């Protein structure tokens, strides 16, 4: 009986120390082809590695910039499904406030009313809903879009502010929307699995009283596997003040990002074609 009690106490301690804001993406490496993440050239000064967890399951992975309060990128598998569009429950990441807090993303009001966090505590580490209210010509732009997810829960999991950047409204509703839905649908035909990494290049301006960075560019890269063999890859990039999207090879996108980030960028495992 004593041994069983000790095991239960140990399990409780391990759970309390368990964090979905982690030191690496090891626990959600399935969202990266061959477990290979982008290299450190993209890493901000104050990063958070988030295995995006909702209703006790991982749905994608996000590298988050705590200082600029925007995601650097989100990585996921392209699995569009016809599940009913979920309600827009905008959520935040409790473990950015306290590493021992809830492992699942949650709505602000629940953290305030039930978990006794203050709004100021939440705001210290991440964007909040008020940061996106009243912005002129800017939308809450998903990096991992709900339309690329299969289940209702996975679609709901994209509505977290750690997956959102201030995106030009014309771009978000125009050419980028067309790329996400029409272009990706065409390019992924015949692919058994498609891995996607979508990111935002930090800009020189901020919104919401200088709290949230407005990215200069939005970009996306994909690697298509047929069975288990990578057969093709591609990229896209857009300036975040124009309704234009440039489609590129993966190698061309990495070169462009190398110039923008001032350091050599690699996004996927070397087996993904660069040309």
């Amino acid at each position: 009986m004593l041994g069983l009690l000790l095991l239960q106490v140990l399990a409780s301690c391990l759970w309390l120390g368990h964090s979905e804001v982690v030191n690496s993406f090891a626990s959600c490496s399935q969202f990266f082809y061959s477990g290979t993440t982008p290299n450190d050239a993209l890493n901000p000064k104050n990063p958070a590695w988030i295995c995006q967890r909702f209703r006790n399951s991982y749905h994608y992975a996000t590298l988050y910039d705590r200082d600029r309060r925007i995601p650097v990128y989100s990585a996921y598998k392209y699995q569009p499904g016809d599940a009913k569009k979920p309600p827009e429950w905008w959520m935040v990441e409790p473990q950015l406030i306290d590493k021992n807090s809830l492992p699942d993303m949650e709505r602000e009001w629940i953290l305030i009313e039930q978990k006794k966090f203050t709004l100021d505590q939440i705001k210290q580490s991440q964007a909040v809903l008020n940061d996106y209210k009243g912005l002129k010509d800017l939308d809450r732009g998903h990096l991992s879009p709900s339309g690329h997810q299969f289940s209702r829960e996975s679609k709901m999991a994209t509505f977290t502010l750690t997956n959102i950047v201030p995106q030009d409204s014309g771009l978000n509703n125009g050419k980028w929307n067309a790329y996400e839905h029409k272009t990706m649908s065409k390019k992924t035909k015949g692919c058994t699995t498609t891995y996607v990494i979508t990111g935002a290049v930090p800009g020189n301006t901020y919104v919401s009283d200088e709290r949230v960075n407005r990215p200069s560019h939005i970009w996306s890269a994909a690697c298509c596997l047929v069975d288990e063999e990578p057969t093709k890859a591609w990229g896209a990039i857009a300036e975040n003040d124009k309704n234009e999207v440039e489609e590129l090879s993966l190698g061309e996108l990495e070169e462009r990002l190398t110039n923008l980030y001032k350091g050599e960028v690699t996004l996927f495992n070397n087996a993904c074609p660069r040309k």
Side-chain angles (χ1 to χ4, degrees):
M1 181 65 71
L2 179 60
L4 180 60
L5 179 61
L6 287 172
L7 283 173
Q8 289 174 334
V9 171
L10 178 59
S12 297
C13 291
L14 287 171
W15 174 250
L16 287 171
H18 180 66
S19 178
E20 305 316 305
V21 175
V22 288
N23 295 321
S24 75
F25 288 127
S27 56
C28 54
S29 62
Q30 66 268 30
F31 300 113
F32 301 90
Y33 169 56
S34 194
T36 303
T37 63
N39 70 330
D40 292 347
L42 299 181
N43 290 6
K45 290 181 180 179
N46 192 8
W49 290 266
I50 304 174
C51 290
Q52 297 280 16
R53 178 171 152 152
F54 179 64
R55 292 186 176 169
N56 207 32
S57 294
Y58 296 132
H59 300 279
Y60 57 101
T62 298
L63 178 62
Y64 192 74
D65 187 334
R66 298 172 186 260
D67 293 336
R68 296 184 177 97
R69 297 183 178 88
I70 58 169
V72 178
Y73 62 74
S74 287
Y76 59 95
K77 292 181 183 180
Y78 176 77
Q79 296 175 307
D82 56 5
K84 185 178 179 181
K85 186 176 180 180
E88 292 188 8
W89 284 358
W90 286 102
M91 294 176 278
V92 293
E93 177 51 61
Q95 293 188 355
L96 286 176
I97 312 164
D98 178 352
K99 66 180 181 180
N100 293 321
S101 188
L102 302 174
D104 283 17
M105 59 183 74
E106 190 50 270
R107 286 163 286 177
E108 287 176 25
W109 71 268
I110 289 181
L111 295 181
I112 293 169
E113 293 185 10
Q114 297 182 15
K115 301 303 176 182
K116 306 307 178 184
F117 285 119
T118 66
L119 182 59
D120 283 342
Q121 285 178 306
I122 302 172
K123 290 172 68 174
Q124 286 176 10
S125 59
Q126 59 198 296
V128 295
L129 274 171
N130 281 340
D131 290 323
Y132 284 88
K133 287 182 178 176
L135 295 184
K136 186 178 180 180
D137 300 324
L138 291 172
D139 290 347
R140 289 173 288 202
H142 289 70
L143 296 190
S144 174
S146 63
H148 287 187
Q149 299 290 337
F150 180 77
S151 70
R152 190 168 187 267
E153 286 72 24
S154 287
K155 290 178 185 292
M156 290 178 74
T158 66
F159 288 94
T160 170
L161 296 177
T162 55
N163 180 47
I164 300 298
V165 299
Q167 185 173 8
D168 180 88
S169 298
L171 176 64
N172 188 43
N173 297 306
K175 296 292 180 64
W176 194 259
N177 181 276
Y179 175 79
E180 284 183 339
H181 295 97
K182 296 179 181 178
T183 305
M184 282 292 292
S185 179
K186 291 177 183 177
K187 283 184 171 290
T188 55
K189 285 194 183 304
C191 301
T192 307
T193 308
T194 302
Y195 292 89
V196 181
I197 301 171
T198 299
V201 180
N204 296 320
T205 60
Y206 285 74
V207 300
S208 188
D209 295 325
E210 303 296 305
R211 278 182 40 81
V212 179
N213 186 266
R214 175 177 176 165
S216 63
H217 297 74
I218 311 295
W219 55 267
S220 188
C223 183
C224 160
L225 277 63
V226 176
D227 295 326
E228 297 182 3
E229 186 71 23
T231 59
K232 61 180 179 177
W234 62 88
I237 191 167
E239 294 181 48
N240 194 27
D241 59 358
K242 299 175 183 176
N243 185 23
E244 298 176 7
V245 175
E246 184 179 359
E247 294 181 38
L248 308 162
S249 68
L250 174 57
E252 289 170 336
L253 176 61
E254 289 177 332
E255 288 179 11
R256 187 74 61 86
L257 295 179
T258 292
N259 291 329
L260 290 168
Y261 284 97
K262 311 300 182 186
E264 185 174 359
V265 171
T266 59
L267 299 176
F268 282 111
N269 182 284
N270 288 336
C272 294
R274 260 53 187 185
K275 295 182 179 180

